[in-house]
Amino acid sequence: MSYVGVDWAGSCWVVVAIGDEITVSTEPSILNVWTAYEADAASILVDVPIGLPEDGDWACDRAAAHLLESRSSSVFSIPCRAAVTAETYEEARDACGGSLGSQSWWLFPRINEVDAFLRTIDDARKIVYESHPEVCFAAYDGGALPSKGDEDGLRARVAVLEGLNERLATKVGKIVDERRDGTEWHDRISSSRRDDVVDAAVLAVTAERLELGERTPEQAYPSLPDGDYSGPGESGTDPALEMPMEIVFPGRDPGRSDE
């Protein structure tokens, strides 16, 4: 079995899988990810909002921002379903009360892609979970890390991975180093996607360390919002997907190994 982390990289999905081997690859769609890994994946963690509120926002997003404190801007608070499914920017902005940033607008197609995928593939709803790389890194390291937009931030994240899974850190660290100064035109993982590799890796290792498997009443795992958070926002289940609105993360004190 393998544990899979998936992160959107601007024009493709970066996929890191931990199993007998550790692989780093790209796929053009979330359906391609499913086709490639459904037979072997114990769980798939995706860095994209799963579930769309009819109104307001989700408590898990508020809880994630609360946990990250100074890095809270890295948390994307999902707007209502009417905004995400709007055909034009003006319609989406109106649905958001007259304000909508470019980052949100450009992410909407990926949210719709995952939403449509989960509506269509019943089995995927059993093993696909939402997570957030920055939340995972903060939980492992005891606080938010510096920006991943520079070398220090990337190296700090690889160092965290080293304490979690040495094989994974070696694979990811090699990609981070080799792609630093640019790549050939045909390389799908370019220098600008190194942070996406690191993000997908922390999702995969989180699934592995939690031994996350099929979503059942007996499957217990830490997720936001948790008992330490009492801020605003809606929690519960998206009725369209019949999936809980949550962000899987390692927990408040996951510990680190020297493996």
Side-chain angles (χ1 to χ4, degrees), residues 45-48 129-133 136 203 206 246-249:
L45 266 60
V46 182
D47 178 23
V48 74
Y129 300 79
E130 177 184 346
S131 189
H132 193 289
C136 292
L203 298 186
T206 296
E246 62 186 3
I247 294 175
V248 174
F249 80 128

Side-chain angles (χ1 to χ4, degrees), residues 145-166:
L145 294 172
S147 171
K148 62 185 179 182
D150 56 35
E151 293 301 318
D152 289 342
L154 285 174
R155 296 313 311 177
R157 286 161 175 76
V158 173
V160 171
L161 295 177
E162 287 174 355
L164 303 171
N165 184 313
E166 188 174 347

Side-chain angles (χ1 to χ4, degrees), residues 34 97 99 134 181 197 212 234 243 252:
W34 177 252
S99 176
E134 289 299 294
D181 298 323
V197 173
L212 195 61
E234 181 182 352
M243 293 175 66
R252 296 286 175 173

